[in-house]
Amino acid sequence: MATSEVERRRGQLAALSIAAVVIMVGVPLWWRTTETYRAWLPVSQINELANMQLQLSADVEVVFARGTVTPEQQKKVPLTQTQDEEHTVDENTALRYRYEIRYRTATIMEEDALDQPTAAEADLSLHTLSESPCGSLVVYVIPESSSLLPEDMDVYIGQRRTALLRIGAQMRVGRTVEQLLAHLEPRIKQVLQVMSFSHTDITAALSDRVRLSPGNKESIADSMRAFKSSPGYEITFSLLNPDPKSHRLHWDIEGAVQTYIQPLLTKLAPVANFSLDSQTLYYAMLGVNPRFDSSSSAYTLNSDSLAHVINPVEARLGSNAASSNPVLNFLLYVPDAHHSPLYIHDNKKQEVPSNAFHSPRWGGIMVYNVNGFYRPEAVLPVDININMAKVMGVFLAQLRLLLGVQSSTAPPGFLMAPCGSTGLADWELDRLMWSRSVENVATATTTITSLAQLLDQIGNIVINDNIAEQVSSAVTSLQLAVAELEAGNLGFALQYSKEAIMASERAFFDPSLLHLLYFPDDQKFAIYIPLFLPMCVPILLSLLKIVSEARQKRREKQAKKD
Amino acid sequence: MKILTFFSLFSTFLSANSINVEENAGQFFSSGHTNNWAVLVCTSRFWFNYRHVANTLSVYRSVKRLGIPDSHIVLMLADDMACNHRNPKPATVFSHKNMELNVYGDDVEVDYRGYEVTVENFLRVLTGRLPPSTPRSKRLLSDDRSNILIYLTGHGGNGFLKFQDSEEISNVELADAFEQMWQKRRYNELLFIIDTCQGASMYERFYSPNLMALASSQVGEDSLSHQPDLAIGVHLMDRYTFYLLEFLEDIHPASKANMKDLFKVCPKSQCVSTPGHRTDLFLRDPGSALITDFFGSVRKVEITMETINLTDLIKEAEQNPMNEKPQKVTYSYVDQLPVSEIIHQKPKQKDWHPPDGFILGLWTLILLVFFKTYGIKHLKHIF
């Protein structure tokens, strides 16, 4: 009897110790060895970023030339004003525009510069005096009597970051500084809308984050035309020669690119990297048959058929297999001898002066007629040198449109200087940098927040260290970019926003984040049950037996006591 | 009185006409997309699934004819039909009986073939999570203004689609993949067509905006194949895709047919199964969505109004006679393997090696058996 008691005791002890080992040692060990490695992500900071409050700051200097302020007013100037404009785009996004306006009077050298005969020369000499930093503007207020601007124009926008504003006739004697500033404020606001950033541009740049209801046709067309922000672009120039038997074409593409296109791309270097290549395609026809127009004795392509020109040609254009950057194609088509000259007509049946058209987010095509360069009885094939200045003028204009340098129509009374030899005015570059920074920040925040959401939802995706690193660096860059935008340092803001977007894209598109590679919960149960259930059943049963025996004993003891 | 009514009729006619012109101009930008992509997947392999490959290739042909270039098409096929041993006409895949139309031809660009057509690769293509070494032709490089056509065909069931007879993709995974595409704005509008048994179950779980889905049969119904060809010995096409293709043959790049016509393709009388469609997630009215918005690639064009006046002359590349000629680096091939010597060599004399373990073990075994049988006293005869 004693031995069976000892045996029972021993059995109970064995069951208890096995259960103890399983629970204390086994379960934690199993848990640790089967948990997925999830590196730490800054989730709280990501959620903070989801609620985006952007502040854009622009510095404006308003310089009063001689004759625009009275001596009493002059004493109160120089002064600084800060203006804020708040806009709420949707429940997660709010914008604030801050303008820091400094008023001062012109120096002697600036007065001399403003004495030039034309506005363009004044602009040039003003630029030699001082260079405004990126993102800032200088507005020179010139008197009513000044001859720099023509009669009906009030504002001249130069090639750099300066504008000339003609003060109205009412501003003469007896007005206080406050009234003067109040008079100037709407005009300066207008100049800022054109040269710096406007609310429509910024909200268009936020289109990734906020799906806005479509406005008028122009805004839809603008948002569809330009390429989205990307760290690099590839530009391909192609010469299409469908008739090599008649025309032997020579184009100095290397020299033309070096002289005309490269300055623009160098200026745009802070925005993106560009890679250029060129090719010549022979026997490449347009997919459309042009119609012969007897009134002008030329072949015409009307605007409806232009849409079908691109597809047959695109199949023959190559692209760089190694990179995934967007490609801009610029095609120069020289019509064959039987279909020359070829003109493009718009939908009003008028000839288009540039003889070119472009397709949003794709590129441009220009038709170059060469029938004027040789006599009909010349010996074929004829050597023809293409006038690259004319061709590149058209391509450069198309490139500006496709990259998002909006040449929106100027408000009435504004006179714009033609863009310089680089093809891009400094203030246009600033505009592009503002909208690109905002677009990058918006895209990067949506990418990071949706990545965090995805990783949260699917609990068993492994988050490697490199992904966590990328996410952290993206969050840091985003915070820095927003801070720099607030401070008004446009160059740094764009750089940080580009780093943020590259890091966030690399983290989001990491190949290891495919949820298919990880087991859903029901499959996990199917694996563990045949392993653990047979082992756990005896332990559980013996524990239950121990508990029921203990309870029985306690009942017996109770009964004995009673 | 009569003049008044006549006048009012005339004026309404005029205003209706002008609205028409406005609408045409408005339609130009009503679709909101600038480029088109197509992802065509055939999820079956083996000879008896010939019709699935023919389905996919026929849709591929139509999509190419209507303008989408190969660089914008991701084609996934097991590609084991044209050169299959059982194919009586090698290098061809026919889609119509009497071998009228060879859809294989010589300009078919298959991006994922054979064992590369897996659920993992399909989801990687859709979500963009491809390894960096993937070439451009295997990627779906769409942006927020791309309209994508996705066509799947194969064997399916209630809520899943079988890939290559070894794995399956569920409707939940597909819906999640589309949601990830939407999060990253990888599409403007997406048209999803599926031709399998119980195809409608695959689009039940979609929840992202701007999706339109068509399926060849409802849950509980089977999609049937169209016609066998007695010479080839298998069914050549499925019914839904056959009538879909008949419908697409009438579409040309400038056609104005819209999605409502597509929903009418293959009624129950022709298809035996009931085709279904889902448009509640699509933000536009399906009647305003053109067929060519998804199947073709009609580009929007704008006339270039401005040019820039460039006056600089091209600088000639400077010829500098002072410089010496740049050293020409001569390249040479590495020594090639001397194949001819190797072939004609006499075999080398091999050195003698003592017998290896196997022979030793065999002899030991024989000796042991011998001595066991006949007794150890015979040992002295050996040693």
Side-chain angles (χ1 to χ4, degrees), chain A residues 237-262:
Chain A
F237 292 101
S238 310
L239 173 64
L240 302 177
N241 187 358
D243 198 7
K245 284 200 276 281
S246 316
H247 306 133
R248 204 182 292 148
L249 300 170
H250 302 277
W251 71 338
D252 184 14
I253 185 68
E254 279 189 48
V257 158
Q258 209 45 42
T259 319
Y260 302 124
I261 308 284
Q262 195 58 47

Side-chain angles (χ1 to χ4, degrees), chain A residues 253-290:
Chain A
I253 185 68
E254 279 189 48
V257 158
Q258 209 45 42
T259 319
Y260 302 124
I261 308 284
Q262 195 58 47
L264 172 66
L265 301 182
T266 318
K267 204 159 174 183
L268 284 174
V271 177
N273 297 326
F274 292 92
S275 82
L276 288 161
D277 43 37
S278 67
Q279 60 180 344
T280 311
L281 291 174
Y282 294 104
Y283 293 105
M285 306 292 228
L286 292 183
V288 202
N289 277 329

Side-chain angles (χ1 to χ4, degrees), chain A residues 100-127:
Chain A
E100 297 237 349
I101 311 183
R102 279 185 298 135
Y103 299 93
R104 66 174 175 87
T105 49
T107 62
I108 309 284
M109 293 186 289
E110 286 172 343
E111 296 285 350
D112 283 338
L114 285 169
D115 268 337
Q116 305 274 342
T118 62
E121 288 171 32
D123 190 36
L124 195 61
S125 43
L126 281 171
H127 173 71

